[in-house]
């Protein structure tokens, strides 16, 4: 019996008003204790362009210099987070929006040991599980933006998949946790060009084979890496798929299994 569900949504949902509304409609019907972690979408890049702030990407990852950090903090922890919270309130869900800096929720350190200096991009070092549990037990649905801090006053932009994973792992000490990585596809695809080629189950062994064949790469690779890590650290169940289809059409997505 799952006690708590952690759902992560990305920019592909946030950037599309219709998709976001469909997601929030389905999400508002989810029962039990819930944590929602969201990414940032294209809004930060669009605002950067309007303000004349250059956006640099390397292999799909944002270089977060000082000016871009201001933007992503405003957009992720401000505009997007509060819009989601307000939309959930309108659906009768008593949600509370937070970033990793609030209540010392998620600490991080500057990403190092990489060929590229990503600037103020942080890797998670600690999750304040007690603070999380207190908020969850107050019957609030937590909506977490992927802005973290180092405890010394420095904010960081942190990958939302990683934030969702670390939050799920931390909470698995006290709850039976289900972690859902929700995106536009119905699950992990055997053939990236065929949306119907959803794999109902993905094991460690099969994943390694697909990575070698180049069938799992770019954006899906970190998702699967985070998924197997979460399972190895105590998360009860991990699914990659389309949350709306899972809730409305009863599709199963791709179940991640350690075998």
């Amino acid at each position: 019996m799952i006690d708590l569900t952690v759902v992560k949504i990305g920019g592909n949902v946030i950037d599309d008003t219709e998709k976001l509304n469909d997601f929030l409609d389905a999400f508002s019907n989810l029962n039990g204790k819930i944590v929602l972690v969201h990414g940032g979408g294209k809004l930060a890049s669009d605002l950067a362009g309007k303000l004349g702030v250059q956006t640099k990407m390397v292999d799909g990852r944002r270089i977060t210099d000082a000016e871009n950090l201001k933007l992503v903090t405003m957009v992720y922890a401000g505009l997007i987070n509060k819009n989601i919270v307000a939309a959930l309130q309108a659906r009768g869900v008593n949600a509370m929006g937070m970033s990793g800096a609030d209540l010392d929720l998620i600490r991080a350190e500057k990403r190092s040991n990489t060929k590229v200096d990503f600037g103020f991009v942080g890797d998670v070092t600690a999750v304040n599980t007690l603070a999380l549990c207190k908020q969850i037990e107050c019957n609030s649905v937590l909506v977490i933006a992927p802005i973290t801090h180092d405890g010394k006053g420095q904010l960081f932009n942190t990958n939302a998949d990683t934030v969702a994973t670390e939050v799920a792992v931390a909470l698995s000490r006290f709850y039976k946790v289900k972690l859902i990585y929700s995106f536009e596809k119905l699950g992990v695809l055997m053939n990236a060009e065929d949306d119907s080629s959803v794999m109902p189950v993905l094991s460690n062994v099969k994943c390694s084979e697909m990575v070698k064949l180049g069938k799992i790469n770019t954006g899906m690779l970190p998702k699967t890496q985070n998924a197997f890590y979460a399972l190895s650290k105590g998360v009860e169940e991990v699914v990659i798929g389309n949350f709306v289809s899972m809730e409305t059409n009863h599709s199963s997505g791709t179940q991640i299994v350690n075998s």
Side-chain angles (χ1 to χ4, degrees):
M1 182 70 177
I2 296 299
D3 297 324
L4 185 144
T5 305
V6 177
V7 182
K8 186 268 172 178
I9 56 169
N12 56 333
V13 175
I14 292 166
D15 293 334
D16 187 310
T17 301
E18 184 177 349
K19 286 181 180 179
L20 181 58
N21 282 327
D22 287 344
F23 169 83
L24 293 172
D25 286 341
F27 182 84
S28 63
N29 292 320
L30 195 60
N31 295 319
K33 296 176 171 60
I34 312 161
V35 176
L36 175 62
V37 178
H38 64 82
K42 297 177 182 176
L43 286 176
S45 297
D46 290 345
L47 181 59
K50 291 175 182 177
L51 296 177
V53 176
Q54 186 178 8
T55 299
K56 296 179 182 178
M57 308 289 285
V58 176
D59 295 330
R61 296 179 179 180
R62 182 186 300 273
I63 303 292
T64 307
D65 60 18
E67 291 303 307
N68 274 283
L69 180 63
K70 294 176 185 177
L71 283 170
V72 297
T73 301
M74 287 188 288
V75 175
Y76 296 178
L79 180 63
I80 293 174
N81 189 268
K82 300 315 171 192
N83 276 342
I84 290 174
V85 169
L88 286 172
Q89 299 288 2
R91 289 165 170 82
V93 177
N94 191 20
M96 180 169 67
M98 306 177 75
S99 74
D102 296 302
L103 295 179
D104 193 20
L105 207 63
I106 305 170
R107 290 202 182 192
E109 63 184 8
K110 188 181 187 304
R111 179 170 296 168
S112 58
N113 299 321
T114 57
K115 294 180 181 179
V116 177
D117 182 358
F118 285 96
F120 295 101
V121 169
D123 292 323
V124 175
T125 57
V127 176
N128 188 340
T129 315
L130 180 60
L132 271 174
C133 290
K134 282 184 176 179
Q135 297 306 317
I136 290 166
E137 292 304 318
C138 287
N139 298 314
S140 297
V141 171
L142 299 188
V143 181
I144 301 177
I147 300 298
T148 57
H149 76 127
D150 67 355
K152 302 174 184 176
Q154 180 60 59
L155 294 173
F156 290 109
N157 179 19
T158 298
N159 179 272
D161 282 336
T162 301
V163 169
T165 303
E166 295 291 353
V167 165
V169 167
L171 291 172
S172 68
R173 294 169 50 200
F174 300 99
Y175 303 94
K176 289 184 178 180
V177 178
K178 180 176 183 178
L179 172 58
I180 302 172
Y181 300 99
S182 179
F183 72 139
E184 73 274 16
K185 304 294 184 182
L186 296 178
V188 180
L189 304 179
M190 178 65 76
N191 177 0
E193 304 302 318
D194 181 2
D195 285 352
S196 67
S197 64
V198 177
M199 302 179 66
V201 177
L202 181 64
S203 68
N204 250 322
V205 173
K206 186 62 178 179
C207 184
S208 296
E209 291 176 2
M210 293 180 69
V211 170
K212 288 178 182 177
L213 293 171
K215 292 185 176 182
I216 289 181
N217 50 40
T218 59
M220 184 53 66
L221 184 57
K223 273 188 175 57
T224 55
Q225 290 171 335
N226 275 306
F228 287 113
Y229 170 79
L231 278 182
S232 73
K233 294 296 183 179
V235 174
E236 194 82 8
E237 184 179 352
V238 181
V239 181
I240 298 175
N242 185 299
F243 182 84
V244 174
S245 290
M246 283 187 247
E247 290 298 306
T248 60
N249 301 325
H250 305 294
S251 63
S252 61
T254 300
Q255 296 278 335
I256 306 301
V257 296
N258 264 330
S259 61

